[in-house]
Every structure is written in structure tokens, then in C-alpha cells.
Amino acid sequence: MTSVIRYVKNTFDGGTPATACVGSTGSDYQLVAIDVLVTAGIAANANADVLTWTGSGKIKSIVSAFMRRTGSGNVGVTDTGEIIPMGAVAQNTHSTFAVDATGKTINCSILAGATPIPTFTTISFLLVIGNY
């Protein structure tokens, strides 16, 4: 199930009022939640395309991404916790998700010092999809 959201732009020029003064003009976008099961894992110092959007429109932004273990991949196995802990993380251990130039594919890049993504990890994405 997807929700339609309204995307509007506003420019703040430093003057007053500081609140957004916009009308209802804009573009309709979708807010889409997708779970991706990574069955092969992704090693440190590697990258992989983890999602390709084949529907109409393009991925405008990644609102959030959350990774958690899903056990052995067997049906009914409970999640075993998050991969990247919340809180302070050293910059050289970050993994990054990036949308490619076509707006259709999300790539996961893992730095050499980062935690690898193990097999049977679920990546939950919240994405904004739109035509403009």
C-alpha cells in the first residue's frame, strides 16, 4: 500500500516571515515502504545494487534505511536485531546508500572498515517516488 504525499517547494531568503508561505501547488509523490532481503551478503570494501525501481517515476529520496538480521532465511525465524547500532559511529565505518543517476537503482557501498552486511539481512527502505 502506498500513500500519496504532496511535494511543495519554498525558498527562505532570510527575511520575515520565516514560516513557509506556500500554496497548494506542487507535485504528487508516493511514500513507499520496501523490504529487501539480502541473501548473498555484502562484504566490507564492496558495493552492490540492492534495489531497482521498475515502476513509473523515479526514486526522489531515501527517507530512511534500517538493516536487521532475519535469522537463517527460513520462514518463521525471528529477527535477531539491527546491523548498525544507533548512536555514535566512526566516520570510516559508515556504509552508504545512494540513488544512481537514472533515479531507478539504489546502491549500497561498504567501506573497508565498515561492518559487512551478512546473509539474510533485511533492509527496510522508506522512499519518495515521483515523476519530476
Side-chain angles (χ1 to χ4, degrees):
M1 180 174 88
T2 60
S3 299
V4 175
I5 58 175
R6 193 76 169 159
Y7 174 75
V8 274
K9 290 183 178 180
N10 185 63
T11 302
F12 174 64
D13 62 6
T16 55
T19 56
C21 299
V22 295
S24 62
T25 59
S27 303
D28 288 334
Y29 284 34
Q30 294 180 21
L31 188 61
V32 181
I34 299 175
D35 280 343
V36 176
L37 178 63
V38 178
T39 58
I42 306 171
N45 205 27
N47 70 73
D49 292 340
V50 293
L51 175 71
T52 299
W53 177 256
T54 58
S56 63
K58 296 179 180 183
I59 301 168
K60 302 306 289 183
S61 66
I62 301 171
V63 178
S64 69
F66 180 77
M67 293 184 280
R68 65 190 183 282
R69 289 296 306 269
T70 49
S72 65
N74 297 320
V75 175
V77 174
T78 57
D79 293 347
T80 57
E82 58 186 310
I83 301 296
I84 306 299
M86 300 302 286
V89 179
Q91 289 296 317
N92 64 346
T93 63
H94 279 187
S95 298
T96 59
F97 292 102
V99 179
D100 74 351
T102 69
K104 294 287 194 176
T105 301
I106 296 176
N107 181 274
C108 177
S109 177
I110 302 178
L111 297 177
T115 303
I117 297 176
T119 57
F120 301 112
T121 293
T122 297
I123 305 172
S124 297
F125 289 108
L126 187 57
L127 306 173
V128 174
I129 307 291
N131 290 322
Y132 301 101

